[in-house]
Amino acid sequence: MRLRGCRDVTFAEDASTVHAGTAPWAMATLRNLAIGALKTLGADNIAKTARAIRDEPQRALPILGITNNPDAHGT
């Protein structure tokens, strides 16, 4: 599936109420970033993976390189 179709199916882009200024382009860019990150990590089904992250947002933290390990130096 092409990226535009993936964005619409996964994120319901055609139903978006964001229409003013450059906001639609910014949202498309963020959606592309999310899809690209999931593809890079090997997600076979982008929509299913996006729903899993929507339902459990803490799943996104490791994808973004954020861990819950306390820093040994206290910073």
Side-chain angles (χ1 to χ4, degrees):
M1 180 183 298
R2 296 177 61 174
L3 188 56
R4 169 69 177 88
C6 185
R7 279 195 328 251
D8 187 40
V9 170
T10 304
F11 297 109
E13 188 172 59
D14 286 346
S16 175
T17 58
V18 177
H19 301 291
T22 58
W25 284 299
M27 290 303 299
T29 300
L30 292 172
R31 292 177 183 121
N32 288 344
L33 179 63
I35 292 167
L38 295 176
K39 283 183 177 182
T40 298
L41 292 171
D44 293 328
N45 187 325
I46 300 298
K48 181 178 178 180
T49 305
R51 284 191 302 272
I53 291 170
R54 177 199 65 203
D55 295 340
E56 296 181 49
Q58 69 274 12
R59 289 179 172 216
L61 298 177
I63 293 170
L64 300 171
I66 302 170
T67 63
N68 195 19
N69 299 334
D71 191 313
H73 302 291
T75 59

